[in-house]
Short mmCIF file of all heavy atoms in Angstrom, two decimals:
data_model
loop_
_atom_site.label_atom_id
_atom_site.label_comp_id
_atom_site.label_asym_id
_atom_site.label_seq_id
_atom_site.Cartn_x
_atom_site.Cartn_y
_atom_site.Cartn_z
N LYS Z 23 3.11 23.44 -0.71
CA LYS Z 23 3.60 24.15 0.49
C LYS Z 23 3.81 23.07 1.55
O LYS Z 23 2.86 22.58 2.16
CB LYS Z 23 2.52 25.15 0.94
CG LYS Z 23 2.91 26.06 2.06
CD LYS Z 23 1.81 27.09 2.34
CE LYS Z 23 0.55 26.48 2.89
NZ LYS Z 23 -0.50 27.45 3.19
N ARG Z 69 -2.56 19.46 1.15
CA ARG Z 69 -2.98 20.64 1.90
C ARG Z 69 -3.95 21.41 1.00
O ARG Z 69 -5.01 20.88 0.71
CB ARG Z 69 -1.75 21.46 2.31
CG ARG Z 69 -0.88 20.69 3.30
CD ARG Z 69 0.26 21.51 3.82
NE ARG Z 69 -0.20 22.67 4.58
CZ ARG Z 69 0.61 23.52 5.20
NH1 ARG Z 69 1.92 23.33 5.15
NH2 ARG Z 69 0.13 24.56 5.86
N SER Z 70 -3.55 22.60 0.52
CA SER Z 70 -4.46 23.32 -0.39
C SER Z 70 -4.25 22.90 -1.84
O SER Z 70 -4.79 23.52 -2.76
CB SER Z 70 -4.24 24.82 -0.28
OG SER Z 70 -4.74 25.28 0.96
N ARG Z 89 -7.57 15.77 2.80
CA ARG Z 89 -7.12 17.15 2.83
C ARG Z 89 -6.74 17.43 4.29
O ARG Z 89 -7.62 17.46 5.18
CB ARG Z 89 -8.27 18.06 2.38
CG ARG Z 89 -7.89 19.49 2.11
CD ARG Z 89 -7.78 20.30 3.37
NE ARG Z 89 -7.67 21.71 3.02
CZ ARG Z 89 -6.57 22.44 3.24
NH1 ARG Z 89 -5.50 21.90 3.81
NH2 ARG Z 89 -6.55 23.70 2.91
N ALA Z 90 -5.44 17.56 4.57
CA ALA Z 90 -5.00 17.83 5.94
C ALA Z 90 -5.31 19.28 6.26
O ALA Z 90 -4.50 20.17 6.05
CB ALA Z 90 -3.51 17.54 6.08
N GLY Z 91 -6.52 19.51 6.72
CA GLY Z 91 -6.98 20.87 6.99
C GLY Z 91 -8.50 20.88 7.00
O GLY Z 91 -9.14 19.82 6.97
N ALA Z 92 -9.06 22.09 7.02
CA ALA Z 92 -10.51 22.22 7.16
C ALA Z 92 -11.23 22.33 5.82
O ALA Z 92 -12.10 21.53 5.48
CB ALA Z 92 -10.82 23.43 8.03
N GLY Z 93 -10.85 23.36 5.03
CA GLY Z 93 -11.57 23.64 3.78
C GLY Z 93 -11.21 22.63 2.70
O GLY Z 93 -10.03 22.38 2.47
N ASN Z 116 -6.28 22.34 12.62
CA ASN Z 116 -5.41 23.52 12.50
C ASN Z 116 -6.12 24.81 12.93
O ASN Z 116 -5.63 25.91 12.69
CB ASN Z 116 -4.84 23.65 11.08
CG ASN Z 116 -5.93 23.73 10.02
OD1 ASN Z 116 -7.08 24.04 10.33
ND2 ASN Z 116 -5.59 23.47 8.78
N ARG Z 238 -11.26 32.38 2.74
CA ARG Z 238 -10.88 32.13 1.33
C ARG Z 238 -11.04 33.42 0.54
O ARG Z 238 -11.97 34.20 0.78
CB ARG Z 238 -11.82 31.07 0.72
CG ARG Z 238 -11.61 29.66 1.24
CD ARG Z 238 -10.31 29.07 0.77
NE ARG Z 238 -10.11 27.69 1.20
CZ ARG Z 238 -9.53 27.31 2.34
NH1 ARG Z 238 -9.07 28.21 3.17
NH2 ARG Z 238 -9.38 26.03 2.63
N LYS Z 284 -0.22 32.09 2.17
CA LYS Z 284 -1.18 31.80 3.25
C LYS Z 284 -0.49 31.28 4.52
O LYS Z 284 0.20 30.27 4.48
CB LYS Z 284 -2.21 30.81 2.73
CG LYS Z 284 -3.48 30.79 3.56
CD LYS Z 284 -4.63 30.14 2.82
CE LYS Z 284 -4.59 28.68 3.00
NZ LYS Z 284 -5.65 27.86 2.58
N ALA Z 287 -2.49 28.25 8.67
CA ALA Z 287 -2.20 26.94 9.27
C ALA Z 287 -0.70 26.67 9.32
O ALA Z 287 -0.29 25.54 9.56
CB ALA Z 287 -2.91 25.84 8.48
C1 3PG S 81 -7.58 25.00 5.82
O1 3PG S 81 -8.59 25.02 5.09
O2 3PG S 81 -7.37 24.09 6.62
C2 3PG S 81 -6.59 26.14 5.77
O3 3PG S 81 -6.95 27.04 4.78
C3 3PG S 81 -5.15 25.70 5.67
O4 3PG S 81 -4.65 25.55 4.37
P1 3PG S 81 -3.14 25.10 4.09
O5 3PG S 81 -2.97 23.71 4.58
O6 3PG S 81 -2.95 25.21 2.63
O7 3PG S 81 -2.22 26.04 4.83
#
Side-chain angles (χ1 to χ4, degrees):
K23 186 174 67 179
R69 294 185 63 177
S70 289
R89 191 279 191 247
N116 58 19
R238 289 290 183 271
K284 199 163 85 171

